[in-house]
Amino acid sequence: MSNKIYPIGIQNFEKIRKDGYFYIDKTALIYQLVKTGSYYFLSRPRRFGKSLMLSTLEAYFQGKKELFEGLAMEKLEKDWIKHPILHLDLNIGKYDAPDSLDKILNEALLGWEALYGSREGESTLALRFKGVVDRACKLTGQRVVILVDEYDKPLLQAIGNEALQTEYRNTLKPFYGVLKTMDGCIRFAMLTGVTKFGKVSVFSDLNNLDDISMRKEYVEICGVSDKEIHGNLEIELHEFAEAQGLTYEELCVELKKYYDGYHFTHNTIGMYNPFSLLNAFKYREIDNYWFETGTPTYLVELLKKHHYNLERIAYEETNAAVLNSIDASSTNPIPVIYQSGYLTIKGYNKEFGIYRLGFPNREVEEGFIQFLLPYYANTDKVESPFEIQKFVYEIRAGEVDAFFRRLQSFFADTPYELVKDLELHYQNVLFIVFKLVGFYVKAEYHTSEGRVDLVLQTDKFIYVMEFKLDGTAEEALQQIDERHYAQPFLSDARKLFKIGVNFGAKTRNIERWIVI
């Protein structure tokens, strides 16, 4: 029996090492980082190990050699010099008012000033920070290490509130500017976050930061690779498989399907989400752990605000400049969704420098689409999973009329403001519903100019559907025959349903369906 203790939600390196928690050794990469540069930025999705990485750096720069016993760092580092460390964690605040950020920064500065003193003329947050860096260096005789966790949390929480975002940006820009002006007093600095705000934002002056988010050398600095799973959890894989009633090989396939697939640049190995993976090993259950910790509503607000066609989400194409930086005034929601971990790199066109994006794995794809449902359809967050379950049961049972009555309820009470983009709204709702249904039955979904054609297959039934906006159910049915949508299934032993459906602009709902 395995006796590993998994560090679920534990982000402190010292606690993990002293209390005997399971740890995958990342210290060779940490060593490479500190020996080859001074200023870094790393963006990774939430719950991907960024805080633990910063905590590991903190322990290293505190000279705590004993914590690295048995790890790669123990053999690599010879000097173990203790540096003064300024560790700022912006994850702790709720940024909903102009002074929210000031309070967090002031609290951090008061703590540092208690250690290194203050000066009367330091009237602004940036001047106080500059003074702390200067005095910490002089008092200790060692240059300072600055670690900033979730640097972008205030800006992300203020998405959609331009005035508040401007306020936070104006505070952070001079504050982070200290990293450049005090270069002579700084040994090492690292900022982490989910996203990278660029152009007129906090990074515009910080051109000394080395952004390693898409660097191949550091792909494995956060997250877990296949090699690390098999090198550290081989016994546990066999126990997990037995608990699930699967073979070892089948379990490896399932884990890969649900949690692997994060690619942070082109032509690199996929990385597993560590939070989901460790939860799965702890409970020996494959589940949507990452989504249970909360998905930010600002992502949905961005999609809706910019009238985004959800069908595009699984095959978006973009370039490195877009992926690498978010312009606060941008109308493109894709960089935020990519950097937040809901999309990843699936392919790369070297000639044109174009990245193809898609969902990294089943957990993210199903979780994200499920999360969208209550925001687009007339159903609440508690009921929506059960509604999808009922849809699947009805499709499997051949209960066509019950299925369409349920679908009608999803369109009921469509808010008036959506009428201006009704076609997109109805296509988005259908996409969400059939994408979720498609996790349990085989589904093919296509759209063009006010219509949707769809094929659903179960072990007993085949459904060929055509949806029209402001046409007739008869016209929809006629189109199925004219375009030979049912042709591939005519010799199939399963029962075939051809269904024409009309969606009305005035009623903002499904008006009629015909089944033959």
Side-chain angles (χ1 to χ4, degrees), residues 230 234 236-255 286:
H230 293 288
E234 200 64 21
E236 290 77 13
L237 277 168
H238 286 280
E239 291 174 355
F240 194 165
E242 192 179 333
Q244 283 290 309
L246 299 171
T247 66
Y248 170 87
E249 291 76 15
E250 285 169 342
L251 176 71
C252 290
V253 168
E254 285 297 293
L255 288 173
I286 291 174

Side-chain angles (χ1 to χ4, degrees), residues 272-297:
Y272 288 75
N273 179 321
F275 182 77
S276 295
L277 190 74
L278 293 180
N279 268 288
F281 271 95
K282 180 177 180 179
Y283 298 109
R284 294 178 186 169
E285 197 73 54
I286 291 174
D287 208 340
N288 292 348
Y289 298 104
W290 193 58
F291 270 87
E292 287 175 5
T293 64
T295 298
T297 54

Side-chain angles (χ1 to χ4, degrees), residues 134-229:
D134 182 46
R135 286 186 295 277
C137 181
K138 286 172 180 170
L139 286 169
T140 62
Q142 293 292 343
R143 285 175 296 159
V144 178
V145 170
I146 298 168
L147 305 171
V148 183
D149 204 356
E150 304 292 359
Y151 93 97
D152 55 346
K153 184 83 178 281
L155 297 168
L156 279 175
Q157 290 205 343
I159 279 183
N161 185 336
E162 212 168 300
L164 195 55
Q165 198 168 70
T166 301
E167 184 97 23
Y168 292 158
R169 195 164 57 239
N170 291 342
T171 300
L172 289 173
K173 201 171 176 182
F175 193 84
Y176 291 141
V178 172
L179 298 181
K180 195 170 180 182
T181 57
M182 297 303 291
D183 179 42
C185 294
I186 297 171
R187 161 64 185 91
F188 182 90
M190 185 157 202
L191 280 71
T192 70
V194 170
T195 56
K196 182 176 176 183
F197 284 83
K199 293 189 181 173
V200 297
S201 197
V202 297
F203 276 112
S204 55
D205 294 335
L206 277 181
N207 52 10
N208 57 335
L209 278 183
D210 183 2
D211 182 359
I212 59 169
S213 307
M214 295 181 77
R215 297 286 180 206
K216 288 183 181 180
E217 306 95 292
Y218 294 108
V219 159
E220 295 183 60
I221 201 160
C222 291
V224 183
S225 68
D226 248 326
K227 188 179 177 182
E228 287 170 330
I229 291 174

